[in-house]
Amino acid sequence: MSILVHAALAPRPLALPFPETLIRAGLSGFPSPAQDYEGRTLDLNERLVKRPSSTFFMAVTGDSMETFGMQDGDILVVDRSLEPRPGQILAALVDGEVIVKRYELIGNRPYLCSGNPRYAPIPLGNCDCQVWGVVRSMIHEYPV
Amino acid sequence: MIGLVDCNNFYASCERAFQPHLNGVPVGVLSNNDGCVIARSNELKALGIEMGTPAFELQHLVRQKRIVLLSSNYELYGDFSARVQSVLEEFAPQVERYSIDEMFVRFDGFDTATLTDHCRTLRWQVERYTGIPVSIGVASTRTLSKLANRAAKKIPAYGGVCVLDKDGPATKGLLQRIELGDIWGVGRRLVERLNLMGIRSAWELRNAEPKQIRRRFSVTLERTVLELRGIPCIEMNDFDEPRQRIMTSRSFGKLTGDYGEIHEAIRQHGQRGAEKLRQQGSLARAVLVFLKTNPYRPDLAQYSPSLIVELERPSDDSRAILHAASQALQRIYRPRYAFMKGGVMLLDLIDTDRQQLSLLDKPQNADERARSEKLMATMDELNRKMGRGAVSLGVPTPGAAWHLRCANRSPRWTTRWEEIPKVRAL
């Protein structure tokens, strides 16, 4: 019991060696106060990749990405586990190729729309037009 | 209940994930060095092309664009395999990897009806998340779940999911139609001996007397009989014991007679073999080295020697193994032959914990062993952290003959930043 009280009353947050923290927490059954300070860094993976097993990275190229706010070489974080909703940017299978389009409803019917007026909207759900994944975020690196 | 999840035509499915134009096209994946077919899509199977067909025999079909042959891309397959496993882990607490494309999953506390629905959802989810189609077979034992998986894949009515009741009529019907050779752990020679006893189908084996089977064959086959009856008694590792030998070999990228190049290849194989040895916690007693000329070139002189060198004492030290391999090579190598292939096999393995001290052991040998253990552990650790080949004994020459030929490998889309897929915004 005295170990328990001691550990709780005298926290030495950053100086406390890691193994000791674990042992005390294990013995007492209470979380160590030092635990709050362990491993506190910001992890971009945690922020951008919600489900690693279904997340894929792709590099964007093409002539109408400006409308989508993309630039050549930007990296798309594509999540296959998401249910697509209108307004979202998708990676889609069109004619045997994976391309980037925006998912929109036109008169209650689903379409894949282009950022470039030269390309007509494609009705979604044909056999040669399927959703591959939902673009969750985009990474742009500036030259430094 | 235990399920076996098997990825359909796994290598071909991985290749198709980012190349949808390959859907519906006969696709084959080639072995190391583009030697022969090691994986086939259904369309390629339908053309009657067998596993192991040499790539050169299929070149005319490639030129006519009737089939696509790809070099193997193990980095890609390894990544997709890990993805499939992690989706399965969301559904079931216990997932055991059996091979790169097969995983055993425990489903405890489901009744058959809900289990079928659960597996359908699971199957759909794996394909949606990873792009890899799978088949699922579930039964009360591993042996039966293997058979259920086969049925799920081959019989369209199951739609990729087959759940077998312990003594249901479906189980009986299935076992009656299954040949002995298709049962897990039953090899060809066993089939012949069983046939002599009048046992021909899985159902007949199921109804055999277990004690008699044990007396005439082995405990392992007795367990198979019990498993066919729905009594679990085979653990995954029963068929997956640490290997008794380790083989590392590979065709050279070209025919070569150069001692330096061959020596380097043999050292690489020896080193890789020693790493595997340490991984499975074994020591080797002997090292076999072999060379092969090309038997399909009758115009060239043929010479395919091999030699075993015994180690002073059982060892997993790369240096001892490389030394032995070099000795063997020196003795079998002859100039003026064009060699096609070479390899190293580590033989007569024993467990590291069970090693017996050799008669020649002196106290300083113990020190030496401790030093060697430390050095090898450091080497393995560095190679694991910084990528294979970060630390090796002697540096390989880039472009040497033994380097892999992989003329038609797709990009490593999911494991290299420089190779991530490009998508057009349209």
Side-chain angles (χ1 to χ4, degrees):
Chain A
M1 267 326 247
S2 66
I3 297 172
L4 187 158
V5 174
H6 178 77
L9 287 183
R12 285 171 291 163
L14 293 169
L16 202 60
F18 186 64
E20 198 181 343
T21 316
L22 281 181
I23 291 163
R24 294 222 173 132
L27 272 181
S28 66
F30 284 109
S32 158
Q35 268 175 356
D36 284 349
Y37 296 90
E38 280 165 20
R40 228 193 225 182
T41 54
L42 295 177
D43 182 358
L44 264 181
N45 268 319
E46 184 194 337
R47 169 91 190 187
L48 299 179
V49 179
K50 303 298 181 195
R51 197 189 284 274
S53 59
S54 62
T55 300
F56 295 86
F57 299 119
M58 294 179 164
V60 72
T61 62
D63 57 357
S64 54
M65 58 224 175
E66 303 285 339
T67 337
F68 296 146
M70 296 168 182
Q71 289 180 42
D72 196 56
D74 285 355
I75 290 170
L76 304 179
V77 180
V78 183
D79 190 341
R80 286 180 59 102
S81 73
L82 297 173
E83 193 61 49
R85 289 198 311 270
Q88 283 174 331
I89 310 281
L90 305 182
L93 285 182
V94 179
D95 293 332
E97 193 192 359
V98 184
I99 56 174
V100 179
K101 291 269 185 189
R102 196 194 338 252
Y103 176 34
E104 275 168 28
L105 290 182
I106 304 175
N108 263 335
R109 294 226 175 131
Y111 283 89
L112 288 183
C113 297
S114 168
N116 188 324
R118 277 195 291 137
Y119 303 103
I122 312 170
L124 190 64
N126 290 4
C127 43
D128 17 310
C129 173
Q130 289 169 339
V131 179
W132 195 92
V134 174
V135 177
R136 201 187 249 286
S137 53
M138 189 193 78
I139 302 162
H140 178 78
E141 288 175 275
Y142 293 97
V144 284
Chain B
M1 298 289 265
I2 187 150
L4 178 67
V5 178
D6 188 358
C7 303
N8 302 347
N9 312 316
F10 181 56
Y11 291 0
S13 299
C14 293
E15 296 290 352
R16 281 170 170 164
F18 297 102
Q19 300 180 95
H21 62 271
L22 293 181
N23 285 322
V25 174
V27 176
V29 174
L30 301 174
S31 62
N32 275 343
N33 246 345
D34 292 354
C36 61
V37 175
I38 53 164
R40 302 167 296 164
S41 73
N42 283 338
E43 297 82 0
L44 199 71
K45 289 176 190 169
L47 288 178
I49 293 166
E50 296 294 327
M51 287 288 255
T53 309
F56 69 82
E57 286 180 13
L58 301 172
Q59 284 313 313
H60 62 288
L61 294 174
V62 174
R63 275 194 299 273
Q64 292 163 19
K65 298 200 189 308
R66 289 174 56 199
I67 66 172
V68 173
L69 294 182
L70 298 166
S71 308
S72 38
N73 188 348
Y74 283 101
E75 243 178 83
L76 180 74
Y77 312 149
D79 181 66
F80 271 97
S81 175
R83 286 170 186 267
V84 170
Q85 185 172 354
S86 77
V87 177
L88 296 179
E89 277 162 356
E90 288 179 30
F91 274 75
Q94 225 186 317
V95 178
E96 304 159 316
R97 172 185 292 252
Y98 183 60
S99 68
I100 193 166
D101 58 353
E102 290 171 287
M103 285 141 214
F104 281 114
V105 180
R106 280 214 175 274
F107 297 110
D108 293 326
F110 285 92
D111 61 62
T112 315
T114 46
L115 194 52
T116 305
D117 286 344
H118 186 69
C119 288
R120 283 193 199 292
T121 316
L122 177 56
R123 180 172 180 269
W124 180 83
Q125 201 104 318
V126 172
E127 178 159 6
R128 172 159 169 187
Y129 285 15
T130 66
I132 305 294
V134 297
S135 313
I136 307 179
V138 187
S140 48
T141 69
R142 290 173 199 273
T143 305
L144 285 174
S145 74
K146 272 252 180 194
L147 296 177
N149 188 287
R150 227 180 113 79
K153 195 174 288 175
K154 302 247 151 132
I155 303 171
Y158 281 117
V161 173
C162 170
V163 179
L164 286 183
D165 264 333
K166 198 167 173 181
D167 282 313
T171 308
K172 182 177 177 184
L174 193 66
L175 290 183
Q176 281 170 333
R177 273 183 293 156
I178 284 172
E179 289 176 24
L180 293 172
D182 293 330
I183 302 171
W184 198 26
V186 177
R188 203 186 318 145
R189 282 182 45 213
L190 218 45
V191 173
E192 286 167 15
R193 288 174 61 200
L194 286 165
N195 282 348
L196 287 178
M197 283 176 70
I199 297 176
R200 292 181 183 281
S201 69
W203 182 249
E204 283 164 355
L205 182 61
R206 176 205 183 272
N207 292 331
E209 174 55 45
K211 290 231 172 64
Q212 194 193 0
I213 291 288
R214 177 184 194 155
R215 236 180 305 117
R216 285 207 175 181
F217 297 90
S218 62
V219 184
T220 320
L221 193 62
E222 181 195 24
R223 287 201 204 137
T224 301
V225 172
L226 294 173
E227 286 247 323
L228 287 172
R229 296 181 181 192
I231 304 160
C233 48
I234 290 180
E235 278 310 307
M236 184 175 70
N237 292 332
D238 287 358
F239 292 139
D240 203 13
E241 299 150 342
R243 278 166 299 180
Q244 280 307 296
R245 63 175 181 81
I246 287 172
M247 162 86 135
T248 43
S249 80
R250 190 174 280 170
S251 295
F252 305 133
K254 60 178 193 231
L255 293 177
T256 178
D258 179 23
Y259 183 78
E261 281 187 339
I262 294 171
H263 188 212
E264 208 170 80
I266 293 297
R267 285 174 64 87
Q268 287 292 315
H269 293 319
Q271 204 157 301
R272 183 76 194 103
E275 254 173 58
K276 286 188 191 169
L277 197 61
R278 293 194 287 273
Q279 245 166 42
Q280 72 173 45
S282 310
L283 303 172
R285 288 202 181 91
V287 178
L288 177 148
V289 174
F290 71 91
L291 293 174
K292 245 188 176 137
T293 47
N294 187 347
Y296 299 110
R297 291 286 302 273
D299 53 316
L300 298 175
Q302 299 289 318
Y303 177 53
S304 298
S306 71
L307 185 73
I308 298 179
V309 170
E310 207 178 331
L311 297 169
E312 200 176 87
R313 65 179 82 90
S315 175
D316 62 1
D317 188 317
S318 298
R319 292 168 302 173
I321 286 160
L322 290 190
H323 182 66
S326 298
Q327 273 186 324
L329 178 65
Q330 259 171 37
R331 282 160 60 187
I332 60 174
Y333 172 79
R334 300 278 180 280
R336 287 183 293 280
Y337 288 100
F339 291 106
M340 181 186 72
K341 189 174 185 174
V344 173
M345 202 189 289
L346 305 178
L347 299 171
D348 295 337
L349 309 188
I350 52 167
D351 284 352
T352 306
D353 327 324
R354 253 186 275 151
Q355 79 165 303
Q356 287 174 343
L357 294 183
S358 110
L359 284 174
L360 297 169
D361 254 1
K362 294 187 286 275
Q364 61 261 47
N365 289 349
D367 286 355
E368 207 175 281
R369 257 206 320 276
R371 270 213 310 280
S372 139
E373 240 177 67
K374 222 164 129 186
L375 175 65
M376 292 303 125
T378 311
M379 230 172 83
D380 290 347
E381 168 87 348
L382 282 170
N383 282 333
R384 212 181 53 238
K385 278 198 182 142
M386 302 169 65
R388 178 159 301 146
V391 185
S392 66
L393 303 163
V395 179
T397 321
W402 55 274
H403 272 282
L404 269 186
R405 189 168 62 200
C406 41
N408 206 12
R409 196 195 62 213
S410 27
R412 290 160 292 188
W413 287 295
T414 55
T415 50
R416 308 277 171 135
W417 283 116
E418 322 79 69
E419 298 180 24
I420 62 173
K422 292 203 162 59
V423 286
R424 290 191 299 147
L426 280 181

